[in-house]
Structures are given as C-alpha cells and as structure tokens.
Amino acid sequence: MRKPLVVGNWKMNNTLQESLSLIEGLLSNSLPAERDYVVCPPYTGLSLAGKLIKETKIQLGAQNMHFEAKGAYTGEISPLMLKELNVRYVIIGHSERRQFFGETDLKVSKKTLAALNNDLIPIMCVGESLAQREGGFHHKIIKKQLVQGLKLVDSSKASDVVVAYEPVWAIGTGRTATNEQANDMLGFIRTVLTELYGSSISERIRILYGGSVNPSNIDGLMKQPEIDGVLVGGASLKSEEFLKIMTYSDRG
Ligand code: 13P
C-alpha cells in the first residue's frame, strides 16, 4: 500500500559536469514501475538536474531549505524558490545539519510544516549517535526527535511526511545497521506515529532507512516488512551503484 521510495542524497558533491554524467547514467536503464525515485543534488545542481530528469521516473529533491517564504536570511533558500525549480521532495533535519549547522528540533518542525504548506514532501530525518545507542537510549532519542520534529504538523497533513531513520554511526562508515536493527527501529517509529496521529494516518507514512546502504545490502533491507525505502549517500554518487539500488529485487 505504501509506495517504495529510493532517495539519493548527493550531499556537497558533484559539479555540473559530474551531475550530467551521473544522471545520464541513471537514465540509461529502465526502472521498475510502482516505486518512487528521487535525486537530491546540491542547490547549484537543481536546475540542471531538473531539466535532465523532466518527464522521467526520477523526481527532484533538495537537501535543506529555510522555513520562511522570503526575507533577510543571507545564504538561505526558500520553499518558493525550490518550487520554481520543480523540486518535489526536501530533506529536513539531516544529522549533518543538526551536527554542523545548529539545526534544532524546533527548526526541523518549522521546516517540515513549511514544506507541507508549500506542497513539498518533507523527508524528515531522525537518528541516534553511537554513544546513545551503546547507552541504550536510542528509542528514547528517536521518540523525542519525532515528537518535537512533528510538533507543528497536524493530522490533516501528516500522511504526506516521509520519515528517514539514519543512525549517525551508520552514515558514511560502511557500518550499516543490521536488517533487524533497522526493522526494529522503523517499527518503533510507526508505533510513535500511531500514538501521534492514529493508525490510519501512520499506516500511510513512509519510513526510510539510511546509513551505508549499498548494492550488497539493499535487497535484504527492502525485504524487511517495516522498511518502505532508503536514503542513500555515498552509493548514490555512482550511477552503476545507484542503479543497482533503484532496481533492488523484492522477490524471495
Ligand atoms: P551514506 O549512504 O554515505 O552512509 O550516507 C547516508 C546518508 O546520510 C544519506 O542521507
């Protein structure tokens, strides 16, 4: 019932020339229908990427945005500006933004609401650190991030939110969560979403796993009942690798 979603987060990578060859590579193969595919270039690549993927199965996402429509916020980009470039999805509250750019749960909540109000689909990220997991606090931390991050989102729009669980210790480390760890946490996230919005809404919210996803672990992850899709960093930068992830096998 929930459509699988495969998202590539390019982070601060790819010149225009590199973006061009990456996207050409992605478009060279046919992609299974009934799945959503998104690439999230840096802001400078959005316009070019948008043109290249127009009328293909791949949709455009951004990596961040401000919550205001316009104003004196030097260096920031608004939801309206993203809409102009045919952006459909926006990553909100990635752990790198929380860690390096002072993104708080309150800002995450304002941005998530602003995305929804502007017809953008927010991919709201949550994730615990290694110390928090080893201390056994991971469920508590994730619940707090979810409750605070969704604080401004009422049930009329909640089903459009995408939640991405990205344990910080699995990002860019090659140390992916096991299928069981990922499935367990995504199940927990859905329980929290049910507490917040009731089961008919929470059953419609897509929940992704992210953290060292690659062509070798994608099939196992996507077979987990709670995993609706993946948010991919490093492996989304090479077209052969990302193609293998987008065309994962859901049989067996
Ligand atoms: P990696 O896939 O490189 O671990 O990055 C995950 C991520 O942060 C995607 O948003």
Side-chain angles (χ1 to χ4, degrees):
M1 167 182 127
R2 294 182 297 268
K3 201 168 175 189
L5 172 59
V6 179
V7 184
N9 174 12
W10 294 2
K11 308 192 180 184
M12 195 174 74
N13 293 292
N14 289 335
T15 61
L16 292 181
Q17 189 54 47
E18 287 163 342
S19 307
L20 179 68
S21 27
L22 173 51
I23 290 178
E24 278 176 351
L26 297 180
L27 296 176
S28 65
N29 263 53
S30 65
L31 297 171
E34 302 312 316
R35 293 178 189 170
D36 284 329
Y37 308 96
V38 179
V39 289
C40 303
Y43 290 137
T44 50
L46 285 173
S47 174
L48 174 70
K51 287 186 188 118
L52 295 170
I53 61 180
K54 201 169 177 201
E55 282 156 29
T56 73
K57 288 207 188 83
I58 304 178
Q59 294 175 284
L60 193 59
Q63 299 175 18
N64 177 39
M65 62 168 206
H66 198 277
F67 47 84
E68 296 286 1
K70 60 179 178 174
Y73 300 103
T74 302
E76 292 291 319
I77 301 286
S78 84
L80 292 177
M81 294 165 184
L82 297 181
K83 292 280 296 172
E84 259 186 342
L85 297 176
N86 296 321
V87 169
R88 190 75 194 96
Y89 289 78
V90 57
I91 298 172
I92 303 286
H94 191 281
S95 63
E96 287 150 15
R97 296 221 49 92
R98 294 177 190 256
Q99 188 179 349
F100 303 124
F101 303 100
E103 194 105 328
T104 58
D105 286 329
L106 179 62
K107 275 193 208 157
V108 170
S109 194
K110 288 184 176 178
K111 291 180 179 193
T112 303
L113 177 66
L116 293 166
N117 285 341
N118 286 280
D119 244 338
L120 292 163
I121 299 174
I123 302 174
M124 196 188 93
C125 300
V126 296
E128 82 283 2
S129 68
L130 184 59
Q132 288 163 340
R133 175 155 287 255
E134 287 179 341
F137 308 127
H138 42 299
H139 290 103
K140 196 169 159 215
I141 292 292
I142 298 303
K143 181 166 186 173
K144 175 183 158 286
Q145 290 178 355
L146 280 171
V147 171
Q148 302 281 314
L150 292 168
K151 200 161 120 188
L152 301 174
V153 176
D154 68 26
S155 46
S156 69
K157 294 218 168 77
S159 59
D160 291 332
V161 173
V162 173
V163 175
Y165 169 60
E166 295 204 311
V168 177
W169 47 270
I171 295 179
T173 57
R175 179 181 167 186
T176 182
T178 63
N179 294 339
E180 293 69 31
Q181 283 172 326
N183 193 59
D184 164 73
M185 186 57 91
L186 269 59
F188 173 75
I189 289 172
R190 198 169 307 284
T191 310
V192 175
L193 295 173
T194 304
E195 284 169 21
L196 292 175
Y197 299 112
S199 61
S200 73
I201 290 176
S202 87
E203 284 302 317
R204 284 155 60 199
I205 298 179
R206 290 185 288 184
I207 311 180
L208 315 181
Y209 167 76
S212 297
V213 174
N214 62 44
S216 322
N217 57 29
I218 183 68
D219 289 356
L221 286 165
M222 289 308 295
K223 284 194 183 86
Q224 302 303 309
E226 303 288 352
I227 300 185
D228 300 321
V230 284
L231 180 53
V232 187
S236 73
L237 299 175
K238 295 205 183 90
S239 56
E240 324 80 71
E241 288 198 17
F242 197 50
L243 266 173
K244 283 187 193 147
I245 293 173
M246 292 193 290
T247 56
Y248 69 86
S249 160
D250 51 10
R251 297 208 192 96

